[in-house]
Amino acid sequence: MEYSTLITLREGDICKVARIQAGTTATMRLYEMGFNTGARVQVLKNDRGPIIVGLGGHKVALGRGLAEKMLVARSK
Amino acid sequence: MSMTIALAGNPNSGKTTLFNALTGSNQHVGNWPGVTVERKEGQTRYGNQVYRVVDLPGTYSLGAFSEDEVVAREFIVSGNPDVVINVVDATNIERNLYLTTQLLEMGTKVVVALNMVDEAESREIHVDEKALAQRLGVPVIRTVASRRKGIDELMEAAIAVARVPLNGHVQLSYGESIDKRIEVLKGFLQGGDFRYPSSWLALKLLEGDSYAKKFVFENSNLRDLEEFSRFWDEVAVHEEEFQLEIVDSRYKFVGDITKDVVRRPGVAVETTTDKVDRVLTHKYWGMPIFAAIMFAIFQLTFAVGQDLLGEWMAVAIDYVGGALEGFLVGVNAPAWLIDFIGNGMVAGVGAVVEFVPLIVILYLLMGLLEDSGYMARAAYVMDNTMRAVGLQGKTFISMIVGFGCNVPGVMATRTLENKKDRMIAILINPFMSCGAKIPIYLVFIAAFFPSYGGLVLFSVYALGVAVAFLMGKIFSKTLFKGETSHFIMELPPYRKPTLSNVVRNMWDNVSGFLARAGTIILAVVSLLWVLAVLPLGVEPYGSASILGRIGQFIAPIFEPAGFGTWQAAVGLFSGIAAKEAVVATLGMVYAGVEAGTELVAAIREVFTPLTAVSFMVMTLLYTPCAATLGTIKKETGSAKWTLFSAFYSFGIAWVLSVLVFQVGRVLGFS
Ligand SMILES: Nc1nc2c(ncn2[C@@H]2O[C@H](COP(=O)(O)OP(=O)(O)O)[C@@H](O)[C@H]2O)c(=O)[nH]1
């Protein structure tokens, strides 16, 4: 399994959340919104501004700074 | 005592819609017990009983990360609702049930309203609510709040649950190491005088909940207990690990529960939302589209509000004023009373009421924006820009809300998790031009720029935003340094706005506007009228009256900005009570005019296009109204920052309006 940060993924990529290191508050918030370990995330948009991902059929926008701190495992 | 039903749920789950469906027009805003934070409350009738319904803030969790969450859970544990209706979005059930698990942890009686089942169905998401109810141990009722479906069944279930004692509560397991420590902690907490259940408090302590920690340590002497200290130090080492483990356990619980209960299509179909988003959140188009939408809103407000409706309102007010005066003359009322009613009250209050149609349109359009789901996109497209000035996209939502009224605008900052972001957002919110200021601009627009109404209005708003950005930047570099918090924002699916939501939202604002016209504005106008005709013998509304003298005393401050007249000074001063009072006062002091057109004519005589602009800049930016200052005091809990807000905005307004006037003059404008 190869790990990378969420920000490096491209539109359409699907990945699983491995670890988030964004400080307690943001990490907890993400966890609580469903970005907990193993959650399946699809990148819907990653160009300028916050990155948009799909999670459980819903869309969430994440700041780019945050996406740099989210370690994910890319699945094919 | 009637029963209390609380509504809890995630943002965008349809909670407000359900609240409106339950309470209809029977709702009002009150304060939370203990804290001076506002909340919505209403009444609903079912059978022949009346029930109290309390709308809790929409949150993803019941932690202590934002003010909203603390407010919500505080009500659940100490407000003693008889039952909590948990609104769950059927299209996003896992995440929504996360909150449900926290409600269960609190030992609350819960009924789940499985909402948006219509949307779930159309996306081929099927939920077996019977199985879900069985596994959760609480009733689950399917609802479509926007079409009032399932409301009766929901009420029936809620009342049934509220009547019987809680039994057979689902118990979550958080893994051995945490469960064990919860037991130990419960032992320590036993016998303490806490108003929270000890198992919940124990869990919160392990979760590193700052609020719970503070509460326990302030209300007990556990800290001094050596045994406890040893235990606590060991917990502290694992704090972060425990936090995440607890969240994971909740999701695992949810996962187990929803297994084979929820069926989804294997491949996600591209929804309309995806298609629309491709345009509205486009990397280059997103921003211009947003600007165009805002521009269209102002243009429409102006076009429809002014041309179609403004005129007959003026005629109607004229008519009422005339009729009143005729009546008073008929009954031989004293001359002073006729003057007070005709020139003080009708002119002053009428000058404000005249703008109601316009404000109705503005709030309807803003409501559509909010209810459709676009607001989150606005925050998204603005995040980059906001970041450049040391703020974040979410702050922008509180700013847009401020366009309606700064009071809810300041309150909307509660969703910001970081203290620094929140303070800045509060301090810059009053630069967002609220609905009550519109009458001021319109009078000046009608006097000098009648063919560019929408454009001038839009420019005024844009200037407000620009100043807010500039101040945001300055604050984040000086008074409130530190990291800007991360942007995390759900982009809810676009939904057809529910008409009743939009109308309700509009009415809340407009009725506030009308209520102010009948109370504060009336009081201010009455007071000013007295000051304007005293001392006896002077020319009423003249410079020799008390009012005139007060105005003359203040006026020199505004000399450099080009409008150093006593009338303008008095108008601005009374605007601190409520912004509508500016127009009301101008309406009265400029020869006791009877309706808008005469005020406009009077303004045309004493102002010039240039001083009109500098006056508009002043009213846009200067000291917030009393209600907003009161809210700032409540939300910051600091008199110092409230005073700061009052004075720094005045300073900025003064500097900018002087700049406009002086530079304009040099450039040859007049
Ligand atoms: N299709 C559908 N839309 C709904 C339902 N309930 C609410 N809505 C819409 O969903 C959006 C969000 O609802 P709102 O009550 O503002 O959500 P809140 O953030 O939880 O208060 C609005 O556009 C509502 O009109 C429902 O049961 N079905």
Side-chain angles (χ1 to χ4, degrees), chain B residues 90-91 114-125 142-147 149:
Chain B
T91 66
L114 189 66
N115 197 33
M116 311 249 182
V117 282
D118 56 332
E119 199 180 298
E121 226 117 81
S122 73
R123 285 168 61 181
E124 290 173 44
I125 301 169
R142 297 161 73 89
T143 61
V144 181
S146 54
R147 278 188 268 134
K149 281 202 186 140

Side-chain angles (χ1 to χ4, degrees), chain B residues 518-532:
Chain B
T519 54
I520 301 182
I521 307 302
L522 184 59
V524 169
V525 165
S526 307
L527 177 70
L528 293 182
W529 180 82
V530 172
L531 295 177

Side-chain angles (χ1 to χ4, degrees), chain B residues 18 72 108 112 143 157 246 298 402 409 427 494 499 545 608 645:
Chain B
L18 182 66
T108 322
V112 168
T143 61
I246 291 173
F298 295 125
L427 289 176
Y494 292 106
L499 187 67
S545 65
T608 66
S645 168

Side-chain angles (χ1 to χ4, degrees), chain A residues 36-71:
Chain A
N36 51 339
T37 316
R40 191 170 166 278
V41 170
Q42 178 171 27
V43 177
L44 300 175
K45 184 169 185 288
N46 182 8
D47 41 30
R48 251 173 105 234
I51 177 167
I52 300 180
V53 299
L55 173 76
H58 270 238
K59 295 180 164 190
V60 183
L62 303 173
R64 300 192 76 76
L66 201 54
E68 277 168 12
K69 294 176 177 140
M70 213 158 145
L71 216 57

